[in-house]
Amino acid sequence: LALALYRHWTVEQSLRHSLFTAVRLKLWTVRGEKRLQQLLAEMGLPLVESKQMFVAMDLSLRRQFHDMMNKMADSHQLDNVVFQSFTLHHGCRHKYQATDCVYAIVALFNPSDKEMKYNDCFRDALASLSRQHRTLLEEGIERAKKLLTVIYRQTHNALDMKQIISAGPFLYMVIQEGSLDARYYSEPTCLGMLAYIALRSYVASSRKRAAGLPLVISAPLTTTSEECIVLGVPPVAEAVPRNFFGKAFEQAAEKTNSRIDMDYFDSSVIRMKTEDRPKFFDALTALLS
């Protein structure tokens, strides 16, 4: 099922924090909240059960859950909620979808505290794939749940506060220094997840033209430095997404004499001085117009 970590979470929380259902149901709105409650009711899943951990739910409901979601697909525009994947079993109790492992590894890649080094993060993420280190995989899943909660909360706040702004040829969103959970977005992986989710949520709640616009998002690098990270994601409407921001960022920086560092694997991610960001965005707007 296209539901994030549902085997290791409650059904309700998984539905709230899955891109597939959050965007289709527009869960950042009052109407979307009602649709979620309606979905659970039509599935025949009691609210008490939906708020329990999946493994603690009634056995018959767990066995029927896959079919329940499949039946709701047409009436709630949840096409492709069921997809083919691989499942890993550790004995009788521990079952992991391939996507569970992906979420866990992404979470483990990001330092849980300032003292943790990237080398250690990489080793933990790699070790979590081994049967001998199942506890690391479980830790990664718990951290992934926290990360998804933070990202969707940030997305909902951005939509409510209209923090996703159109610059003409692209949309942009700036996470201000000192804002809640800003520390999570100093890493390109987390910032990229936020950008991906925020863009699709924005497109779902706005006019069709937004589907053809890319998103540029920026967040403070640390609470003490005067630098920020800037990342660009391609439009939702592109069948084959092409990220042209690497070259565009270089040209905009050159025109404004902005100091940037492009030392990430992805050329669409840069680091720059926060004071240079306004003129950099102005140049980017002119360049892409």
Side-chain angles (χ1 to χ4, degrees):
L1 293 174
L3 300 179
L5 305 169
Y6 75 93
R7 294 182 186 276
H8 313 278
W9 217 345
T10 69
V11 169
E12 184 193 42
Q13 289 300 311
S14 179
L15 287 168
R16 288 184 186 280
H17 299 98
S18 298
L19 179 64
F20 192 81
T21 49
V23 171
R24 295 293 176 88
L25 300 177
K26 299 181 181 179
L27 293 181
W28 56 89
T29 64
V30 174
R31 186 178 179 184
E33 183 66 28
K34 290 180 179 178
R35 289 186 67 185
L36 174 61
Q37 301 305 320
Q38 181 184 352
L39 172 64
L40 291 171
E42 290 180 8
M43 286 171 62
L45 190 64
L47 284 178
V48 175
E49 294 285 346
S50 71
K51 293 178 183 292
Q52 291 191 62
M53 294 296 289
F54 185 81
V55 293
M57 283 172 50
D58 184 89
L59 181 59
S60 62
L61 291 174
R62 274 186 283 157
R63 287 175 173 171
Q64 297 171 29
F65 183 65
H66 194 281
D67 292 334
M68 287 178 179
M69 287 299 303
N70 208 9
K71 288 177 182 177
M72 293 296 105
D74 292 334
S75 59
H76 290 273
Q77 298 179 329
L78 298 176
D79 304 329
N80 302 319
V81 69
V82 178
F83 66 97
Q84 292 184 339
S85 182
F86 296 95
T87 304
L88 172 67
H89 292 260
H90 282 309
C92 299
R93 298 184 60 186
H94 300 280
K95 186 182 290 187
Y96 307 93
Q97 285 188 176
T99 50
D100 296 338
C101 296
V102 172
Y103 279 118
I105 289 171
V106 167
L108 289 170
F109 262 131
N110 294 281
S112 57
D113 56 63
K114 294 179 181 179
E115 304 300 323
M116 198 167 187
K117 297 180 179 178
Y118 288 105
N119 290 348
D120 296 329
C121 293
F122 180 82
R123 280 195 290 267
D124 285 350
L126 184 62
S128 70
L129 297 174
S130 169
R131 286 178 177 268
Q132 286 73 35
H133 297 91
R134 194 178 67 226
T135 53
L136 275 176
L137 183 60
E138 291 291 340
E139 180 188 342
I141 286 173
E142 291 305 312
R143 284 167 57 178
K145 285 154 63 173
K146 171 65 176 175
L147 182 60
L148 286 172
T149 302
V150 166
I151 288 174
Y152 278 92
R153 180 169 61 214
Q154 186 78 48
T155 299
H156 294 178
N157 289 341
L159 293 170
D160 289 341
M161 303 296 290
K162 301 188 184 303
Q163 294 174 346
I164 301 176
I165 302 167
S166 175
F170 63 90
L171 303 167
Y172 71 91
M173 174 181 170
V174 175
I175 299 169
Q176 300 296 335
E177 185 177 341
S179 60
L180 184 66
D181 302 322
R183 63 185 179 87
Y184 285 93
Y185 307 118
S186 61
E187 302 297 332
T189 307
C190 298
L191 189 63
M193 287 176 66
L194 173 61
Y196 187 84
I197 292 168
L199 179 58
R200 276 150 183 76
S201 300
Y202 179 84
V203 168
S205 60
S206 60
R207 293 172 296 181
K208 289 184 178 180
R209 181 177 178 273
L213 297 176
L215 173 69
V216 177
I217 188 169
S218 179
L221 198 60
T222 65
T223 55
T224 55
S225 75
E226 297 178 349
E227 291 183 309
C228 64
I229 181 172
V230 179
L231 178 148
V233 291
V236 172
E238 288 192 359
V240 181
R242 295 168 296 168
N243 202 329
F244 55 84
F245 276 114
K247 193 66 177 176
F249 285 167
E250 281 189 79
Q251 293 178 13
E254 186 178 339
K255 285 188 176 182
T256 57
N257 292 319
S258 298
R259 295 154 290 180
I260 67 169
D261 288 318
M262 304 185 73
D263 55 355
Y264 295 97
F265 284 112
D266 190 343
S267 63
S268 63
V269 184
I270 62 171
R271 188 170 68 245
M272 67 185 306
K273 290 289 184 181
T274 305
E275 63 183 14
D276 290 338
R277 186 169 57 195
K279 65 179 181 180
F280 175 82
F281 275 18
D282 289 342
L284 195 61
T285 302
L287 187 65
L288 299 179
S289 295

